[in-house]
PDB file of all heavy atoms in Angstrom:
ATOM      1  N   PHE A   1     152.486  90.176 149.748  1.00 98.00           N
ATOM      2  CA  PHE A   1     152.470  90.720 148.394  1.00 98.00           C
ATOM      3  C   PHE A   1     152.310  92.231 148.432  1.00 98.00           C
ATOM      4  O   PHE A   1     153.041  92.969 147.747  1.00 98.00           O
ATOM      5  CB  PHE A   1     151.331  90.075 147.595  1.00 98.00           C
ATOM      6  CG  PHE A   1     151.320  90.449 146.138  1.00 98.00           C
ATOM      7  CD1 PHE A   1     152.342  90.067 145.293  1.00 98.00           C
ATOM      8  CD2 PHE A   1     150.271  91.181 145.593  1.00 98.00           C
ATOM      9  CE1 PHE A   1     152.331  90.401 143.949  1.00 98.00           C
ATOM     10  CE2 PHE A   1     150.241  91.514 144.253  1.00 98.00           C
ATOM     11  CZ  PHE A   1     151.279  91.125 143.430  1.00 98.00           C
ATOM     12  N   GLN A   2     151.401  92.714 149.250  1.00 98.00           N
ATOM     13  CA  GLN A   2     151.203  94.153 149.349  1.00 98.00           C
ATOM     14  C   GLN A   2     152.444  94.861 149.887  1.00 98.00           C
ATOM     15  O   GLN A   2     152.822  95.929 149.392  1.00 98.00           O
ATOM     16  CB  GLN A   2     149.990  94.446 150.225  1.00 98.00           C
ATOM     17  CG  GLN A   2     148.676  94.034 149.591  1.00 98.00           C
ATOM     18  CD  GLN A   2     147.468  94.487 150.387  1.00 98.00           C
ATOM     19  OE1 GLN A   2     147.566  95.286 151.301  1.00 98.00           O
ATOM     20  NE2 GLN A   2     146.303  93.969 150.039  1.00 98.00           N
ATOM     21  N   SER A   3     153.095  94.295 150.887  1.00 98.00           N
ATOM     22  CA  SER A   3     154.277  94.951 151.454  1.00 98.00           C
ATOM     23  C   SER A   3     155.436  94.977 150.464  1.00 98.00           C
ATOM     24  O   SER A   3     156.201  95.948 150.420  1.00 98.00           O
ATOM     25  CB  SER A   3     154.697  94.266 152.756  1.00 98.00           C
ATOM     26  OG  SER A   3     155.225  92.973 152.521  1.00 98.00           O
ATOM     27  N   LEU A   4     155.562  93.939 149.640  1.00 98.00           N
ATOM     28  CA  LEU A   4     156.640  93.898 148.650  1.00 98.00           C
ATOM     29  C   LEU A   4     156.414  94.904 147.533  1.00 98.00           C
ATOM     30  O   LEU A   4     157.372  95.477 146.998  1.00 98.00           O
ATOM     31  CB  LEU A   4     156.759  92.483 148.084  1.00 98.00           C
ATOM     32  CG  LEU A   4     157.232  91.411 149.071  1.00 98.00           C
ATOM     33  CD1 LEU A   4     157.089  90.022 148.458  1.00 98.00           C
ATOM     34  CD2 LEU A   4     158.673  91.656 149.500  1.00 98.00           C
ATOM     35  N   VAL A   5     155.158  95.106 147.176  1.00 98.00           N
ATOM     36  CA  VAL A   5     154.860  96.165 146.198  1.00 98.00           C
ATOM     37  C   VAL A   5     155.066  97.533 146.832  1.00 98.00           C
ATOM     38  O   VAL A   5     155.642  98.448 146.212  1.00 98.00           O
ATOM     39  CB  VAL A   5     153.426  96.011 145.658  1.00 98.00           C
ATOM     40  CG1 VAL A   5     153.026  97.220 144.808  1.00 98.00           C
ATOM     41  CG2 VAL A   5     153.295  94.725 144.835  1.00 98.00           C
ATOM     42  N   ALA A   6     154.650  97.686 148.070  1.00 98.00           N
ATOM     43  CA  ALA A   6     154.768  98.978 148.748  1.00 98.00           C
ATOM     44  C   ALA A   6     156.218  99.417 148.893  1.00 98.00           C
ATOM     45  O   ALA A   6     156.539 100.606 148.739  1.00 98.00           O
ATOM     46  CB  ALA A   6     154.097  98.905 150.124  1.00 98.00           C
ATOM     47  N   ASP A   7     157.113  98.476 149.197  1.00 97.00           N
ATOM     48  CA  ASP A   7     158.521  98.881 149.426  1.00 97.00           C
ATOM     49  C   ASP A   7     159.382  98.809 148.168  1.00 97.00           C
ATOM     50  O   ASP A   7     160.585  99.054 148.210  1.00 97.00           O
ATOM     51  CB  ASP A   7     159.151  98.060 150.561  1.00 97.00           C
ATOM     52  CG  ASP A   7     159.358  96.584 150.229  1.00 97.00           C
ATOM     53  OD1 ASP A   7     159.310  96.202 149.049  1.00 97.00           O
ATOM     54  OD2 ASP A   7     159.585  95.804 151.185  1.00 97.00           O
ATOM     55  N   GLY A   8     158.777  98.459 147.037  1.00 98.00           N
ATOM     56  CA  GLY A   8     159.490  98.462 145.768  1.00 98.00           C
ATOM     57  C   GLY A   8     160.255  97.192 145.461  1.00 98.00           C
ATOM     58  O   GLY A   8     160.918  97.109 144.425  1.00 98.00           O
ATOM     59  N   THR A   9     160.169  96.179 146.331  1.00 98.00           N
ATOM     60  CA  THR A   9     160.815  94.906 146.026  1.00 98.00           C
ATOM     61  C   THR A   9     160.219  94.292 144.769  1.00 98.00           C
ATOM     62  O   THR A   9     160.930  93.699 143.948  1.00 98.00           O
ATOM     63  CB  THR A   9     160.673  93.929 147.208  1.00 98.00           C
ATOM     64  OG1 THR A   9     161.272  94.508 148.368  1.00 98.00           O
ATOM     65  CG2 THR A   9     161.334  92.592 146.918  1.00 98.00           C
ATOM     66  N   LEU A  10     158.916  94.434 144.622  1.00 98.00           N
ATOM     67  CA  LEU A  10     158.212  93.986 143.429  1.00 98.00           C
ATOM     68  C   LEU A  10     157.540  95.178 142.763  1.00 98.00           C
ATOM     69  O   LEU A  10     157.114  96.115 143.450  1.00 98.00           O
ATOM     70  CB  LEU A  10     157.137  92.960 143.787  1.00 98.00           C
ATOM     71  CG  LEU A  10     157.600  91.586 144.263  1.00 98.00           C
ATOM     72  CD1 LEU A  10     156.414  90.760 144.745  1.00 98.00           C
ATOM     73  CD2 LEU A  10     158.337  90.836 143.149  1.00 98.00           C
ATOM     74  N   PRO A  11     157.397  95.136 141.438  1.00 98.00           N
ATOM     75  CA  PRO A  11     156.642  96.182 140.760  1.00 98.00           C
ATOM     76  C   PRO A  11     155.151  96.006 141.025  1.00 98.00           C
ATOM     77  O   PRO A  11     154.716  94.948 141.491  1.00 98.00           O
ATOM     78  CB  PRO A  11     156.970  95.960 139.291  1.00 98.00           C
ATOM     79  CG  PRO A  11     157.234  94.495 139.188  1.00 98.00           C
ATOM     80  CD  PRO A  11     157.916  94.119 140.487  1.00 98.00           C
ATOM     81  N   PRO A  12     154.346  97.015 140.740  1.00 98.00           N
ATOM     82  CA  PRO A  12     152.896  96.830 140.820  1.00 98.00           C
ATOM     83  C   PRO A  12     152.457  95.623 139.994  1.00 98.00           C
ATOM     84  O   PRO A  12     153.134  95.233 139.028  1.00 98.00           O
ATOM     85  CB  PRO A  12     152.344  98.131 140.243  1.00 98.00           C
ATOM     86  CG  PRO A  12     153.423  99.135 140.501  1.00 98.00           C
ATOM     87  CD  PRO A  12     154.711  98.385 140.337  1.00 98.00           C
ATOM     88  N   GLY A  13     151.342  95.022 140.398  1.00 98.00           N
ATOM     89  CA  GLY A  13     150.919  93.832 139.681  1.00 98.00           C
ATOM     90  C   GLY A  13     149.505  93.428 139.985  1.00 98.00           C
ATOM     91  O   GLY A  13     148.665  94.263 140.372  1.00 98.00           O
ATOM     92  N   TYR A  14     149.250  92.132 139.817  1.00 98.00           N
ATOM     93  CA  TYR A  14     147.905  91.591 139.912  1.00 98.00           C
ATOM     94  C   TYR A  14     147.919  90.303 140.738  1.00 98.00           C
ATOM     95  O   TYR A  14     148.902  89.555 140.734  1.00 98.00           O
ATOM     96  CB  TYR A  14     147.358  91.290 138.518  1.00 98.00           C
ATOM     97  CG  TYR A  14     147.318  92.503 137.624  1.00 98.00           C
ATOM     98  CD1 TYR A  14     148.322  92.737 136.689  1.00 98.00           C
ATOM     99  CD2 TYR A  14     146.279  93.425 137.717  1.00 98.00           C
ATOM    100  CE1 TYR A  14     148.283  93.861 135.871  1.00 98.00           C
ATOM    101  CE2 TYR A  14     146.240  94.546 136.904  1.00 98.00           C
ATOM    102  CZ  TYR A  14     147.249  94.761 135.982  1.00 98.00           C
ATOM    103  OH  TYR A  14     147.219  95.877 135.169  1.00 98.00           O
ATOM    104  N   ALA A  15     146.811  90.054 141.423  1.00 98.00           N
ATOM    105  CA  ALA A  15     146.694  88.891 142.291  1.00 98.00           C
ATOM    106  C   ALA A  15     145.388  88.165 142.008  1.00 98.00           C
ATOM    107  O   ALA A  15     144.404  88.775 141.579  1.00 98.00           O
ATOM    108  CB  ALA A  15     146.760  89.311 143.755  1.00 98.00           C
ATOM    109  N   THR A  16     145.389  86.850 142.294  1.00 98.00           N
ATOM    110  CA  THR A  16     144.211  86.025 142.044  1.00 98.00           C
ATOM    111  C   THR A  16     143.892  85.161 143.254  1.00 98.00           C
ATOM    112  O   THR A  16     144.767  84.543 143.854  1.00 98.00           O
ATOM    113  CB  THR A  16     144.427  85.087 140.840  1.00 98.00           C
ATOM    114  OG1 THR A  16     145.679  84.400 140.965  1.00 98.00           O
ATOM    115  CG2 THR A  16     144.405  85.870 139.541  1.00 98.00           C
ATOM    116  N   ASP A  17     142.608  85.126 143.603  1.00 98.00           N
ATOM    117  CA  ASP A  17     142.113  84.125 144.541  1.00 98.00           C
ATOM    118  C   ASP A  17     142.139  82.758 143.862  1.00 98.00           C
ATOM    119  O   ASP A  17     142.217  82.646 142.631  1.00 98.00           O
ATOM    120  CB  ASP A  17     140.668  84.433 144.945  1.00 98.00           C
ATOM    121  CG  ASP A  17     140.525  85.678 145.800  1.00 98.00           C
ATOM    122  OD1 ASP A  17     141.533  86.138 146.376  1.00 98.00           O
ATOM    123  OD2 ASP A  17     139.376  86.191 145.887  1.00 98.00           O
ATOM    124  N   ASP A  18     142.029  81.695 144.670  1.00 98.00           N
ATOM    125  CA  ASP A  18     141.933  80.361 144.095  1.00 98.00           C
ATOM    126  C   ASP A  18     140.698  80.273 143.192  1.00 98.00           C
ATOM    127  O   ASP A  18     139.593  80.647 143.593  1.00 98.00           O
ATOM    128  CB  ASP A  18     141.830  79.313 145.198  1.00 98.00           C
ATOM    129  CG  ASP A  18     143.164  79.039 145.867  1.00 98.00           C
ATOM    130  OD1 ASP A  18     144.177  79.660 145.464  1.00 98.00           O
ATOM    131  OD2 ASP A  18     143.201  78.219 146.796  1.00 98.00           O
ATOM    132  N   GLY A  19     140.936  79.819 141.963  1.00 98.00           N
ATOM    133  CA  GLY A  19     139.850  79.712 140.996  1.00 98.00           C
ATOM    134  C   GLY A  19     139.753  80.888 140.051  1.00 98.00           C
ATOM    135  O   GLY A  19     138.860  80.910 139.201  1.00 98.00           O
ATOM    136  N   ALA A  20     140.662  81.846 140.158  1.00 98.00           N
ATOM    137  CA  ALA A  20     140.641  83.024 139.276  1.00 98.00           C
ATOM    138  C   ALA A  20     141.883  83.041 138.387  1.00 98.00           C
ATOM    139  O   ALA A  20     142.903  82.404 138.681  1.00 98.00           O
ATOM    140  CB  ALA A  20     140.560  84.312 140.084  1.00 98.00           C
ATOM    141  N   GLY A  21     141.786  83.783 137.284  1.00 98.00           N
ATOM    142  CA  GLY A  21     142.893  83.891 136.344  1.00 98.00           C
ATOM    143  C   GLY A  21     142.948  85.266 135.709  1.00 98.00           C
ATOM    144  O   GLY A  21     141.975  86.028 135.737  1.00 98.00           O
ATOM    145  N   LEU A  22     144.088  85.557 135.121  1.00 99.00           N
ATOM    146  CA  LEU A  22     144.367  86.846 134.487  1.00 99.00           C
ATOM    147  C   LEU A  22     144.729  86.601 133.024  1.00 99.00           C
ATOM    148  O   LEU A  22     145.690  85.872 132.733  1.00 99.00           O
ATOM    149  CB  LEU A  22     145.535  87.543 135.189  1.00 99.00           C
ATOM    150  CG  LEU A  22     145.364  87.775 136.689  1.00 99.00           C
ATOM    151  CD1 LEU A  22     146.723  88.056 137.342  1.00 99.00           C
ATOM    152  CD2 LEU A  22     144.389  88.919 136.946  1.00 99.00           C
ATOM    153  N   LEU A  23     143.975  87.187 132.117  1.00 98.00           N
ATOM    154  CA  LEU A  23     144.214  87.012 130.691  1.00 98.00           C
ATOM    155  C   LEU A  23     144.958  88.221 130.148  1.00 98.00           C
ATOM    156  O   LEU A  23     144.475  89.350 130.239  1.00 98.00           O
ATOM    157  CB  LEU A  23     142.897  86.818 129.944  1.00 98.00           C
ATOM    158  CG  LEU A  23     143.001  86.731 128.418  1.00 98.00           C
ATOM    159  CD1 LEU A  23     143.870  85.556 127.992  1.00 98.00           C
ATOM    160  CD2 LEU A  23     141.608  86.632 127.794  1.00 98.00           C
ATOM    161  N   TYR A  24     146.123  87.963 129.583  1.00 98.00           N
ATOM    162  CA  TYR A  24     146.948  89.006 128.977  1.00 98.00           C
ATOM    163  C   TYR A  24     147.043  88.769 127.476  1.00 98.00           C
ATOM    164  O   TYR A  24     147.276  87.635 127.017  1.00 98.00           O
ATOM    165  CB  TYR A  24     148.369  88.976 129.529  1.00 98.00           C
ATOM    166  CG  TYR A  24     148.504  89.190 131.021  1.00 98.00           C
ATOM    167  CD1 TYR A  24     148.499  88.107 131.890  1.00 98.00           C
ATOM    168  CD2 TYR A  24     148.696  90.459 131.559  1.00 98.00           C
ATOM    169  CE1 TYR A  24     148.662  88.277 133.256  1.00 98.00           C
ATOM    170  CE2 TYR A  24     148.861  90.647 132.928  1.00 98.00           C
ATOM    171  CZ  TYR A  24     148.844  89.557 133.767  1.00 98.00           C
ATOM    172  OH  TYR A  24     149.016  89.713 135.120  1.00 98.00           O
ATOM    173  N   ARG A  25     146.893  89.854 126.715  1.00 98.00           N
ATOM    174  CA  ARG A  25     147.200  89.856 125.288  1.00 98.00           C
ATOM    175  C   ARG A  25     148.418  90.752 125.113  1.00 98.00           C
ATOM    176  O   ARG A  25     148.361  91.937 125.444  1.00 98.00           O
ATOM    177  CB  ARG A  25     146.025  90.382 124.476  1.00 98.00           C
ATOM    178  CG  ARG A  25     144.790  89.491 124.539  1.00 98.00           C
ATOM    179  CD  ARG A  25     144.961  88.195 123.767  1.00 98.00           C
ATOM    180  NE  ARG A  25     143.680  87.585 123.448  1.00 98.00           N
ATOM    181  CZ  ARG A  25     143.517  86.614 122.556  1.00 98.00           C
ATOM    182  NH1 ARG A  25     144.555  86.157 121.896  1.00 98.00           N
ATOM    183  NH2 ARG A  25     142.319  86.104 122.336  1.00 98.00           N
ATOM    184  N   GLY A  26     149.496  90.198 124.590  1.00 98.00           N
ATOM    185  CA  GLY A  26     150.755  90.929 124.682  1.00 98.00           C
ATOM    186  C   GLY A  26     151.068  91.116 126.157  1.00 98.00           C
ATOM    187  O   GLY A  26     150.985  90.183 126.953  1.00 98.00           O
ATOM    188  N   THR A  27     151.392  92.335 126.543  1.00 98.00           N
ATOM    189  CA  THR A  27     151.663  92.609 127.955  1.00 98.00           C
ATOM    190  C   THR A  27     150.516  93.362 128.629  1.00 98.00           C
ATOM    191  O   THR A  27     150.667  93.844 129.749  1.00 98.00           O
ATOM    192  CB  THR A  27     152.960  93.416 128.104  1.00 98.00           C
ATOM    193  OG1 THR A  27     152.851  94.653 127.388  1.00 98.00           O
ATOM    194  CG2 THR A  27     154.157  92.632 127.580  1.00 98.00           C
ATOM    195  N   GLU A  28     149.363  93.424 127.979  1.00 98.00           N
ATOM    196  CA  GLU A  28     148.221  94.146 128.543  1.00 98.00           C
ATOM    197  C   GLU A  28     147.239  93.171 129.185  1.00 98.00           C
ATOM    198  O   GLU A  28     146.828  92.176 128.571  1.00 98.00           O
ATOM    199  CB  GLU A  28     147.504  94.927 127.447  1.00 98.00           C
ATOM    200  CG  GLU A  28     146.290  95.702 127.948  1.00 98.00           C
ATOM    201  CD  GLU A  28     145.527  96.401 126.837  1.00 98.00           C
ATOM    202  OE1 GLU A  28     145.970  96.332 125.671  1.00 98.00           O
ATOM    203  OE2 GLU A  28     144.478  97.014 127.135  1.00 98.00           O
TER     204      GLU A  28
END
């Protein structure tokens, strides 16, 4: 994941360990 963000294959983003989640309102 880090290498794909570093080389531009993927845009910057967010990652979760097992048991974690990311709450977005709209795109924030």
Side-chain angles (χ1 to χ4, degrees):
F1 187 65
Q2 291 187 12
S3 70
L4 293 171
V5 171
D7 68 16
T9 301
L10 290 173
Y14 301 99
T16 49
D17 291 342
D18 283 359
L22 303 162
L23 175 60
Y24 300 91
R25 295 288 200 165
T27 59
E28 180 184 357

